[in-house]
């Protein structure tokens, strides 16, 4: 038997909470990948090798979560 979930469904609210958490997390990652990096570059505050090491780990995480957030938004818009 198939039934359509209504927006008061507990799963819907859990999904909305995941969406809100993911948006916050992505903003935090953006602060690191965009604003912090540009400030460090501007001030020449870190050796290039250390910058590469630090951001080579963060950039892929940031890119993954950008796509993940879009997917969550799309799925919730179709709920």
């Amino acid at each position: 038997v198939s039934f359509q979930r209504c927006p008061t469904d507990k799963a819907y609210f859990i999904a909305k909470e995941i969406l809100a958490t993911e948006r916050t997390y992505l903003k935090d990652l953006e602060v690191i990948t965009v604003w912090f990096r540009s400030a460090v570059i501007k001030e020449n505050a870190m050796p290039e090798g250390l910058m590469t090491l630090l951001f080579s780990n963060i950039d892929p995480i940031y890119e993954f979560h950008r796509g993940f957030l879009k997917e969550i938004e799309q799925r919730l818009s179709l709920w």
Side-chain angles (χ1 to χ4, degrees):
V1 174
S2 176
F3 64 93
Q4 189 174 16
R5 296 181 190 262
C6 77
T8 58
D9 188 348
K10 191 175 188 177
Y12 179 80
F13 289 110
I14 292 170
K16 290 284 282 185
E17 182 62 30
I18 291 170
L19 175 63
T21 302
E22 190 63 26
R23 282 183 176 148
T24 301
Y25 182 60
L26 190 62
K27 285 180 184 176
D28 292 344
L29 286 173
E30 187 176 336
V31 166
I32 294 169
T33 59
V34 177
W35 302 106
F36 176 71
R37 179 179 8 216
S38 64
V40 169
I41 290 169
K42 182 180 176 185
E43 298 295 323
N44 199 19
M46 190 181 296
E48 191 171 326
L50 183 55
M51 288 267 303
T52 301
L53 179 64
L54 177 65
F55 289 106
S56 67
N57 293 320
I58 294 172
D59 286 339
I61 294 169
Y62 177 66
E63 290 304 318
F64 170 81
H65 283 278
R66 284 181 59 195
F68 184 58
L69 177 60
K70 285 180 185 176
E71 191 171 321
I72 293 171
E73 290 171 335
Q74 288 172 350
R75 288 177 184 244
L76 272 174
S77 72
L78 299 173
W79 197 302

